[in-house]
Amino acid sequence: MTLTASSKTWFITGASRGFGLEIARQALARGDTVAATARRPADVTAALGTHPNLLAVPLDVTNEAQATEAVQAAIARFGRIDVLVNNAGFGLLGAIEESSAADVRAQFDTNVFGLLHVTRAALPFLREQGSGHVVNLSSVAGYQSFPGFGVYSATKFAVEGLTEALAAELAPLGVFATVVEPGFFRTDFLDDRSLANTASRIGAYAATVGASRELAAGVNHRQAGDPVKLATQVLALADLPAPPLRLPLGSDTVQYVRAKNAFVEAEFAKWNAVAASTDHDDVATSR
């Protein structure tokens, strides 16, 4: 391995394709060390080749014991983890009513519980170091929910809430946490390998969920976002001395965040008096 004083060690889940692969590729290119995980680590080496700074690790994030083993393998090889990137996940397209219990459970098992398995496995080492950065990949759908993506959004809303609390808990320990919110990027996320569809289709949702299905099919591999540029920004994020809690990426995310904020402010102004009216009388009169 060829390392410098400024080199970082990355632990990246879902690193065989998409954002995870591109982040790993750029980290290696600048001389960092990378523990790149995937269900089939051979897919990582097929994409990145053999590299002295690369450790391809088998990991199904839904398997808590395997998450612990993967983190320990990275520590054994590189001695530390500076940046944990929780990238592994997949989408579900379907109305809430169309989503079976098994659909919902699979979403949460990977996107939420899997993220928690890996994070809990890594945090003792980051705490001991007194440094590090947890980067959780959310989505624009973690800030603004859309018809047909309700269950997926629920998992990403969970990631947002977890990261917000995590950042506050870790700040006194010298460890950062950031949630990254990509919009539509030109990856294979809308392919069958990354986006599951509910088996149930209910005609009453044709105008809403059906429109989302048509949009997903039509925009696939024509999305505006460039995953290479996203990875570059994630590397830059990891180098910041004071990184943000949230990093929205993509012009579409910017538009949706601004629209959501404006909607929330307008609705809050309309219902503010009602919201404030529910305190006990002794509290209300003491103001």
Side-chain angles (χ1 to χ4, degrees):
M1 294 185 294
T2 302
L3 303 178
T4 67
S6 60
S7 293
K8 288 183 168 60
T9 295
W10 297 70
F11 187 100
I12 305 171
T13 67
S16 62
R17 54 196 173 96
F19 294 146
L21 174 60
E22 189 56 40
I23 294 167
R25 179 181 286 120
Q26 292 191 28
L28 290 170
R30 76 176 194 175
D32 289 353
T33 54
V34 178
T37 78
R39 291 184 182 228
R40 299 195 314 170
D43 291 343
V44 172
T45 52
L48 296 174
T50 57
H51 194 292
N53 288 5
L54 172 66
L55 175 66
V57 187
L59 176 57
D60 173 352
V61 297
T62 67
N63 185 326
E64 185 172 14
Q66 195 175 47
T68 299
E69 292 168 2
V71 168
Q72 290 173 343
I75 295 294
R77 172 71 176 272
F78 300 126
R80 62 186 295 114
I81 294 172
D82 297 300
V83 189
L84 165 61
V85 180
N86 281 308
N87 170 69
F90 70 98
L92 177 67
L93 180 50
I96 302 295
E97 186 181 351
E98 294 170 339
S99 304
S100 69
D103 290 332
V104 175
R105 189 175 298 109
Q107 275 280 273
F108 275 85
D109 279 347
T110 296
N111 295 3
V112 180
F113 300 126
L115 178 147
L116 285 168
H117 292 336
V118 177
T119 302
R120 284 195 299 264
L123 283 180
F125 298 100
L126 273 59
R127 283 194 292 103
E128 185 177 357
Q129 292 168 186
S131 65
H133 195 166
V134 180
V135 178
N136 291 331
L137 267 291
S138 176
S139 165
V140 61
Y143 200 87
Q144 166 73 61
S145 194
F146 303 95
F149 289 94
V151 174
Y152 173 72
S153 290
T155 67
K156 293 305 183 179
F157 269 63
V159 170
E160 299 264 342
L162 288 167
T163 308
E164 189 167 327
L166 191 64
E169 292 168 0
L170 295 179
L173 310 179
V175 181
F176 299 108
T178 297
V179 62
V180 176
E181 301 164 332
F184 280 96
F185 275 73
R186 204 169 298 175
T187 66
D188 60 3
F189 178 75
L190 296 178
D191 291 349
D192 291 342
R193 288 195 304 167
S194 296
L195 182 63
N197 276 270
T198 58
S200 174
R201 302 288 177 94
I202 299 173
Y205 298 112
T208 52
V209 179
S212 292
R213 289 193 175 101
E214 291 177 5
L215 173 64
V219 77
N220 193 18
H221 297 297
R222 296 192 299 109
Q223 299 96 318
D226 184 343
V228 174
K229 292 181 179 179
L230 179 143
T232 299
Q233 291 303 324
V234 171
L235 266 69
L237 171 72
D239 292 336
L240 292 174
L245 169 62
R246 288 183 172 85
L247 180 62
L249 293 175
S251 58
D252 51 349
T253 296
V254 171
Q255 293 173 2
Y256 282 120
V257 167
R258 284 177 171 165
K260 170 74 174 283
N261 289 344
F263 172 82
V264 170
E265 282 297 325
E267 192 169 57
F268 183 77
K270 181 178 180 179
W271 294 96
N272 181 45
V274 173
S277 71
T278 55
D279 289 347
H280 276 285
D281 290 343
D282 59 346
V283 175
T285 56
S286 67
R287 290 176 179 170

